[in-house]
Amino acid sequence: MERQNRPTSETVSLRTGFSKSTISRALKGHPGISKATRERIIAAAREIGYAPNAVARSLVTKRSGVIGLILGTTSGPFYPEQFGRLLGHLTTRNLQLMMFHVPKGQDVADILPILLQYQLDGCLIAALSPSPAAATILARHRLPTVLINRLPPDDHICAVLCNNEAGGRQVAEYLLDTGHRHLAYVAGPADAPTTRDREAGFMAVLREHSVPLRLRVQGDYAFESGLRLADELAACVPELDAVFAASDIVALGVIDGLRAHGLEVPGDVSVVGFDGIHASSWPGYALTTVTQPAETLISRAVSLLTERIADPDVPPETLYVSGRLTIRSSTRARGLGAGGAS
Amino acid sequence: MERQNRPTSETVSLRTGFSKSTISRALKGHPGISKATRERIIAAAREIGYAPNAVARSLVTKRSGVIGLILGTTSGPFYPEQFGRLLGHLTTRNLQLMMFHVPKGQDVADILPILLQYQLDGCLIAALSPSPAAATILARHRLPTVLINRLPPDDHICAVLCNNEAGGRQVAEYLLDTGHRHLAYVAGPADAPTTRDREAGFMAVLREHSVPLRLRVQGDYAFESGLRLADELAACVPELDAVFAASDIVALGVIDGLRAHGLEVPGDVSVVGFDGIHASSWPGYALTTVTQPAETLISRAVSLLTERIADPDVPPETLYVSGRLTIRSSTRARGLGAGGAS
DNA sequence: CTGAAAGCGCTTACAG
DNA sequence: CTGAAAGCGCTTACAG
């Protein structure tokens, strides 16, 4: 039962009498091999449980068939919820996934020395902006790279982004349309461009309608942060009728925090999030949110990557895909008329 | 800026005048190398950005430094919430993680032909029971393997499990102690041993106290499943005072479903879950649950694995770690006295 | 259609 | 303390 050494192409060669070259060609469906030979070899390989050693293959082909996923820490549930989908897209293309974490406070460049040893075919970066230095290293090693939800630091790198600014605009327009006039924004971590873009879109619409922002508070990507911030928000409620949080997970915390103060959502205040995580649809929250087009985001990212793996000279692209405003019952119309908004 | 070929040990050799052997030894801190030589080589390596090719190294050492994580589909949020922690433990040990998904209805054995090509040092299997056939293949290839939360199909494989049965017992004892007498169990997928063990412990205590189970319904690992099942549960509520669901995610769905029927949790019914996912602590649910000792589960799994990677002859172990009953406000005491329980 | 040979980039006995 | 050589298990021109 316990075999000491795994079979190699040599083993199959000895067993069938064909050379290692022929074994290799037969097994990968190379055209110039006779049907009889091919079948004989495939049968023998199956019998002894032979499969080519991917490490040896990578060394000669200089293709590992593995792509790296570089993830920032503590990004909330949105990215983890996409793992299965990502793995599915990669599997379809016979690609494997290797995971890398960038600890808080560190840069992509810090883990690159390790990552680069593994001769990956490409990499995906999510929830994290690589520094220009990291981008330079990536480019020098000609490693095809696609950012998810970040703008590339230089023009060697691809990106697929949810249109965060447009999403922020949609939220503002919707809130104004439904009669909200006293708005607060709960920002994400200061260094996250996503939250900045969402805010920029949101604020632009407020300015266009000459509606001032009543309150701006700063959170991160944790439920607890929303919970805490709700104290500040609750204190302003008489003069506040809607809160827009930069991410769903924080918005959910805000809702629970507001309720702890005896306030009703949406009775007293409307709350809107951004992302479309699973929990946003739970009846306990029924969060109105901008749903990121996760399927498109992931499938486009994989396509951009595989195109550049196939041909490194395909020029980099940056793709924007639009989020969709999903109206649930954490928001409700205020006042009588729409009062000036669009 | 664009370098055609990555530097190899040959490059460093040419630059420093030392042989590839010496380069290799110097860079990995081999003892018998003079200080001057070592420093010279390290400096040169840094200058040209040389790092050894892990693929070539793996081929000769027969150690890839990569472990595989095999995950079942649709297992709820518990495992995804542990990714960061797992990656942390592996990074500490200079190990990388490659991810594999087993599609619904398929067995571990189906993805093994692909996984085995990558010459992994070991693998972790979570949310999934490998078939005996899969275990046999793993053993034949002498691939150190640790199951998380599943009993091994044979005695070649290690496992770390939360003591699910003890957890189920704790829930039953707590519910009886607090005066509940009319209980329902919401099972997980029929093929998940975790739900069976939780149920076994729960039922054993009910039997010991001669308390019959009023209702048993069958769910899976999705929030929506709890939501739907709540219809059935709500219909029995006059005669039901507590519901134990096999997983938190389903318990949360049950709570929202019950509330949709105008029932109060815990006012009309208590609800208990199992797992200790993040959302169980959200004030909107404040779910009483058995918290799995995630940190211990993961760190022990990694230790068992690395021990067997270091020495394949260390005999397999199965470790149980206990969950902790976390009492929150989705449950409350019923009636007057404890009424016979304990 | 098939094989012998070279080579991918390392590591590691074996010598010295 | 250092180097020359062999070899890990493949693939791929190059021949025939």
Side-chain angles (χ1 to χ4, degrees):
Chain A
M1 184 62 66
E2 316 244 340
R3 182 184 291 128
Q4 290 307 358
N5 302 303
R6 302 192 49 189
T8 69
S9 71
E10 180 80 32
T11 322
V12 185
S13 170
L14 259 27
R15 204 164 209 276
T16 59
F18 289 104
S19 70
K20 290 188 300 173
S21 323
T22 302
I23 308 295
S24 171
R25 289 192 274 244
L27 256 20
K28 53 168 38 180
H30 191 100
I33 294 283
S34 81
K35 192 151 175 272
T37 305
R38 184 193 317 286
E39 283 168 0
R40 173 91 187 75
I41 289 174
I42 289 174
R46 198 190 340 259
E47 279 167 35
I48 64 177
Y50 169 74
N53 180 328
V55 170
R57 192 205 304 128
S58 302
L59 187 58
V60 21
T61 61
K62 292 169 179 293
R63 281 286 175 83
S64 62
V66 181
I67 77 126
L69 173 62
I70 307 179
L71 265 182
T73 352
T74 60
S75 61
F78 179 72
Y79 293 104
E81 288 181 0
Q82 312 308 326
F83 275 139
R85 177 174 272 145
L86 171 59
L87 231 29
H89 282 289
L90 294 176
T91 303
T92 304
R93 294 163 157 98
N94 290 314
L95 253 18
Q96 306 304 322
L97 218 218
M98 203 151 143
M99 302 230 340
F100 297 87
H101 239 220
V102 177
K104 209 177 175 66
Q106 290 193 39
D107 179 52
V108 171
D110 297 318
I111 60 142
L112 247 22
I114 294 161
L115 183 147
L116 289 169
Q117 297 190 317
Y118 285 90
Q119 316 300 118
L120 303 174
D121 288 350
C123 81
L124 251 25
I125 301 181
L128 195 61
S129 300
S131 64
T136 303
I137 299 174
L138 256 7
R140 197 169 56 203
H141 285 269
R142 310 189 114 257
L143 186 68
T145 302
V146 179
L147 303 188
I148 298 179
N149 264 337
R150 303 290 152 140
L151 270 181
D154 66 32
D155 49 3
H156 293 295
I157 290 186
C158 292
V160 187
L161 300 92
C162 173
N163 197 326
N164 289 304
E165 196 185 324
R169 296 190 67 98
Q170 283 183 76
V171 172
E173 278 157 9
Y174 165 70
L175 287 175
L176 293 179
D177 277 358
T178 48
H180 299 83
R181 285 298 172 275
H182 309 291
L183 311 174
Y185 180 68
V186 181
D191 58 345
T194 40
T195 183
R196 286 206 300 267
D197 294 347
R198 290 165 190 183
E199 181 171 12
F202 184 72
M203 292 306 297
V205 172
L206 295 207
R207 267 194 307 279
E208 288 162 18
H209 292 266
S210 310
V211 173
L213 184 74
R214 291 288 166 129
L215 182 62
R216 181 188 191 280
V217 292
Q218 170 90 43
D220 55 27
Y221 281 139
F223 181 91
E224 288 69 24
S225 141
L227 209 49
R228 274 193 306 274
L229 261 13
D231 297 342
E232 275 182 74
L233 295 163
C236 305
V237 157
E239 296 89 47
L240 215 59
D241 56 20
V243 177
F244 173 35
S247 70
D248 280 357
I249 189 73
V250 170
L252 299 181
V254 165
I255 290 179
D256 272 347
L258 256 14
R259 286 176 177 162
H261 283 275
L263 296 170
E264 284 185 11
V265 177
D268 295 305
V269 217
S270 293
V271 176
V272 181
F274 203 115
D275 279 344
I277 61 174
H278 293 338
S280 70
S281 72
W282 296 355
Y285 299 100
L287 183 66
T288 293
T289 190
V290 179
T291 304
Q292 292 204 55
E295 174 56 27
T296 312
L297 218 47
I298 303 297
S299 70
R300 290 289 182 285
V302 173
S303 299
L304 288 181
L305 192 60
T306 50
E307 283 165 27
R308 276 138 195 99
I309 291 172
D311 177 4
D313 295 324
V314 176
E317 290 173 62
T318 293
L319 248 51
Y320 281 93
V321 291
S322 294
R324 187 174 40 77
L325 183 69
T326 305
I327 298 170
R328 298 202 185 93
S329 41
S330 69
T331 50
R332 71 148 210 221
R334 309 278 156 194
L336 308 167
S342 133
Chain B
M1 183 64 66
E2 316 244 344
R3 180 184 293 129
Q4 289 307 358
N5 302 304
R6 301 191 48 189
T8 68
S9 70
E10 179 80 32
T11 322
V12 186
S13 170
L14 260 27
R15 205 162 207 275
T16 59
F18 290 104
S19 70
K20 290 188 300 174
S21 322
T22 302
I23 307 295
S24 172
R25 289 191 274 246
L27 255 21
K28 51 168 41 179
H30 190 100
I33 294 283
S34 81
K35 191 151 176 273
T37 305
R38 186 195 314 288
E39 282 168 1
R40 172 90 186 75
I41 289 175
I42 289 174
R46 198 191 339 260
E47 278 168 35
I48 64 178
Y50 168 74
N53 180 329
V55 170
R57 192 205 305 127
S58 302
L59 187 59
V60 21
T61 61
K62 294 171 178 289
R63 280 286 175 83
S64 62
V66 181
I67 77 127
L69 172 63
I70 307 181
L71 264 181
T73 353
T74 60
S75 60
F78 179 73
Y79 294 104
E81 288 180 0
Q82 311 308 326
F83 274 138
R85 176 173 273 147
L86 172 59
L87 232 30
H89 283 288
L90 294 176
T91 303
T92 304
R93 294 164 157 97
N94 290 313
L95 253 18
Q96 306 304 322
L97 217 219
M98 202 151 143
M99 301 231 341
F100 298 87
H101 239 219
V102 176
K104 210 177 174 64
Q106 289 193 41
D107 178 53
V108 171
D110 298 319
I111 61 142
L112 246 24
I114 294 161
L115 182 146
L116 288 169
Q117 297 190 318
Y118 286 91
Q119 315 301 117
L120 303 174
D121 288 351
C123 81
L124 251 24
I125 302 182
L128 194 62
S129 300
S131 64
T136 303
I137 300 175
L138 256 7
R140 198 168 56 204
H141 286 269
R142 310 189 115 258
L143 186 68
T145 302
V146 178
L147 303 189
I148 298 179
N149 262 337
R150 303 291 152 139
L151 271 181
D154 66 33
D155 50 3
H156 292 296
I157 291 186
C158 291
V160 187
L161 299 92
C162 173
N163 197 326
N164 289 303
E165 197 186 324
R169 295 191 68 97
Q170 284 184 76
V171 171
E173 279 157 9
Y174 165 72
L175 286 175
L176 294 179
D177 277 359
T178 48
H180 299 83
R181 285 297 173 278
H182 308 293
L183 312 173
Y185 180 68
V186 181
D191 59 345
T194 40
T195 182
R196 285 205 301 266
D197 295 346
R198 291 165 190 183
E199 182 172 11
F202 185 72
M203 292 306 297
V205 173
L206 294 207
R207 267 194 308 277
E208 289 162 18
H209 292 265
S210 309
V211 173
L213 184 74
R214 291 289 165 129
L215 181 63
R216 181 189 192 279
V217 292
Q218 171 90 44
D220 55 27
Y221 280 140
F223 181 92
E224 288 69 23
S225 140
L227 209 49
R228 274 194 307 274
L229 261 14
D231 296 343
E232 274 182 74
L233 296 163
C236 305
V237 159
E239 298 88 45
L240 215 58
D241 55 19
V243 176
F244 173 36
S247 71
D248 281 356
I249 188 74
V250 170
L252 299 181
V254 165
I255 290 179
D256 271 347
L258 255 14
R259 287 176 176 161
H261 282 276
L263 296 169
E264 284 184 12
V265 176
D268 296 303
V269 217
S270 292
V271 176
V272 182
F274 202 117
D275 278 344
I277 62 174
H278 293 338
S280 69
S281 73
W282 296 354
Y285 299 100
L287 184 66
T288 293
T289 189
V290 179
T291 303
Q292 293 202 55
E295 174 56 27
T296 311
L297 218 47
I298 303 297
S299 70
R300 290 289 181 286
V302 173
S303 299
L304 288 181
L305 193 60
T306 50
E307 282 164 29
R308 274 134 197 102
I309 291 173
D311 177 4
D313 294 324
V314 177
E317 289 174 64
T318 293
L319 247 53
Y320 281 92
V321 290
S322 295
R324 187 174 40 78
L325 182 68
T326 306
I327 297 170
R328 298 201 185 94
S329 42
S330 68
T331 50
R332 70 145 210 225
R334 309 280 156 192
L336 308 168
S342 129

